[in-house]
Amino acid sequence: RTHNITDFKKELADILAELAEYKKDQNATTGTGRLEEVRQYILAHYTENDLTAASIAASFSMSSSYLSRAFKEYTGSNILEYIQRLRVNTAKELLRTESVKTTAQQVGFWDTQGLVRAFKKHEGMTPSEFKHIREKK
């Protein structure tokens, strides 16, 4: 029990500090699990061309800005880069047997130009160049 306002304020500040620490611990524990769920969701849906950070955030009832920040902290890359990397890696396999256009559609790009841009960014060459080099081997 407190006898004056100063003691009351100190006790209240201590309680709030404990609550803040508890909340921080809870977020650290549940946040990592939740971000792993998001990562698994992306792995299951990356070939859908309407997959965006905003649509993912909405699926998990999170704000886009929070999800983007937390996902980058968790994985080391932002959501778009992560999705593009998955798509390009899958495209590399599909290009063994499929055309660039078919591959682009199958991995979730709206058109071949999207695949070409992402492929050049991540692989330093176009999908056609990659396909040609692979055929020579």
Side-chain angles (χ1 to χ4, degrees), residues 1 4 18 20 26 36 41 45 69 72 82 90 108 129:
R1 294 192 179 220
N4 63 43
E18 283 182 46
Q26 287 294 102
E36 182 56 26
Y41 180 87
H45 297 275
R69 195 172 48 255
K72 181 160 186 159
Y82 192 84
T90 302
E129 291 168 337

Side-chain angles (χ1 to χ4, degrees), residues 39-100:
R39 196 180 72 77
Q40 291 298 322
Y41 180 87
I42 291 169
L43 288 172
H45 297 275
Y46 73 92
T47 59
E48 298 168 12
N49 59 15
D50 58 350
L51 187 68
T52 64
S55 70
I56 296 165
S59 295
F60 285 87
S61 300
M62 296 180 181
S63 76
S64 293
S65 60
Y66 168 78
L67 177 59
S68 295
R69 195 172 48 255
F71 190 84
K72 181 160 186 159
E73 199 172 289
Y74 181 65
T75 65
S77 66
N78 71 41
I79 292 172
L80 177 60
E81 289 171 350
Y82 192 84
I83 293 169
Q84 277 189 350
R85 173 53 64 195
L86 287 171
R87 288 175 175 170
V88 168
N89 286 341
T90 302
K92 287 165 57 178
E93 294 303 315
L94 290 173
L95 286 168
R96 292 175 186 233
T97 58
E98 301 293 337
S99 70
V100 174

